[in-house]
Amino acid sequence: ARGIETIITGIAHLPAEAHLVVVSVPLPHPMIPKLEALAAEHGVADRLHFVGPVGQNELLHYLSGADAAVHPLPGGSPNHDAAMPNKLFEYLHAGLPLVVSDAKLMAEFVTGHGVGEVFTSEDPRSFGEQAAKVLADPSRYAVAEVAAEVAVAVAAAAAAGADRHPPTISGEDDESQDNTRRADRGTVHFDHAHGWRCGAGGRPADFPDPGSRGERPGRGGPFGRSQGTECAPRCQGRRN
């Protein structure tokens, strides 16, 4: 229902150096063997990678090493066509252009604000074409400008809401609240999926240090650093 199969099979329609990373909640996830088998069937098993989640306070840095973010929620149903997932805004604040399905409201936002490209739901070739377009020149999208506009609007709305509704204090810390929200989203859930340009050897282990990439200072997470050194322990040792 979430469209993950479309983007996995769509990897075959991307340049050979492009890989897909899925931040899976939880990790391991019971669907991963099925998805890995699908990738193998289409000859892209070595270009699909699953990593674990991090706390909300680390999320933007974690995502910022990718070159683009994907949201494949299929369009065509009333719920999906009216959806504006929070993940879109997390991606923007991480500095990532978007590749999204043609679910109505999401697609209108992306095209109307010039922050990415839209592909036809459940069409792997269409996904590959639009993702390749974004990866060819991620800097041409108005990601930073729109993220700044969103931040101003959210701050204004929060200030107005605080005047009307004084904040309440919860006994839970931020991480446990975030985990509760994740649990409420359903049993099968992949938080984030990303395409990015790979290093010379065609594997995440070959990624250069984020400081040498030059596009965005502070690139991090499993996308911008060497998986063989700093990042692998980070990704594997996280609590959900």
Side-chain angles (χ1 to χ4, degrees), residues 119-220:
F119 66 92
T120 303
S121 292
E122 302 178 325
D123 184 336
R125 183 176 294 277
S126 175
F127 162 72
E129 291 171 352
Q130 298 307 315
K133 186 184 299 185
V134 171
L135 290 172
D137 186 10
S139 64
R140 69 191 183 97
Y141 299 98
V143 173
E145 295 87 342
V146 174
E149 291 173 6
V150 169
V152 170
V154 169
D163 290 341
R164 293 191 299 270
H165 305 287
T168 57
I169 299 175
S170 168
E172 296 181 312
D173 60 26
D174 289 344
E175 185 173 14
S176 63
Q177 292 180 42
D178 186 50
N179 290 338
T180 300
R181 288 193 291 272
R182 284 175 173 156
D184 288 343
R185 293 175 187 168
T187 304
V188 178
H189 180 66
F190 291 87
D191 255 351
H192 303 283
H194 304 275
W196 82 95
R197 285 202 178 281
C198 199
R203 295 178 292 108
D206 296 316
F207 266 69
D209 182 85
S212 69
R213 296 290 295 270
E215 295 114 329
R216 290 188 297 274
R219 293 167 69 95

Side-chain angles (χ1 to χ4, degrees), residues 57-180:
N57 63 328
E58 299 177 77
L59 182 60
L60 298 187
H61 178 70
Y62 193 63
L63 298 177
S64 67
D67 289 318
V70 182
H71 204 303
L73 183 72
S77 73
N79 285 346
H80 288 186
D81 282 337
M84 277 292 285
N86 287 338
K87 285 187 279 295
L88 295 184
F89 302 100
E90 292 169 345
Y91 295 150
L92 290 177
H93 286 291
L96 305 180
L98 307 177
V99 185
V100 303
S101 73
D102 55 6
K104 189 174 188 299
L105 197 58
M106 187 165 62
E108 288 176 352
F109 173 81
V110 168
T111 56
H113 290 83
V115 292
E117 303 293 340
V118 175
F119 66 92
T120 303
S121 292
E122 302 178 325
D123 184 336
R125 183 176 294 277
S126 175
F127 162 72
E129 291 171 352
Q130 298 307 315
K133 186 184 299 185
V134 171
L135 290 172
D137 186 10
S139 64
R140 69 191 183 97
Y141 299 98
V143 173
E145 295 87 342
V146 174
E149 291 173 6
V150 169
V152 170
V154 169
D163 290 341
R164 293 191 299 270
H165 305 287
T168 57
I169 299 175
S170 168
E172 296 181 312
D173 60 26
D174 289 344
E175 185 173 14
S176 63
Q177 292 180 42
D178 186 50
N179 290 338
T180 300

Side-chain angles (χ1 to χ4, degrees), residues 11-67:
I11 298 171
H13 301 288
L14 283 164
E17 68 270 24
H19 287 226
L20 177 72
V21 176
V22 178
V23 180
S24 172
V25 181
L27 183 72
H29 193 285
M31 278 192 68
I32 287 178
K34 176 183 175 182
L35 297 174
E36 289 177 332
L38 179 66
E41 179 185 340
H42 289 268
V44 295
D46 61 335
R47 297 166 63 190
L48 173 66
H49 314 274
F50 294 93
V51 297
V54 296
Q56 195 71 26
N57 63 328
E58 299 177 77
L59 182 60
L60 298 187
H61 178 70
Y62 193 63
L63 298 177
S64 67
D67 289 318

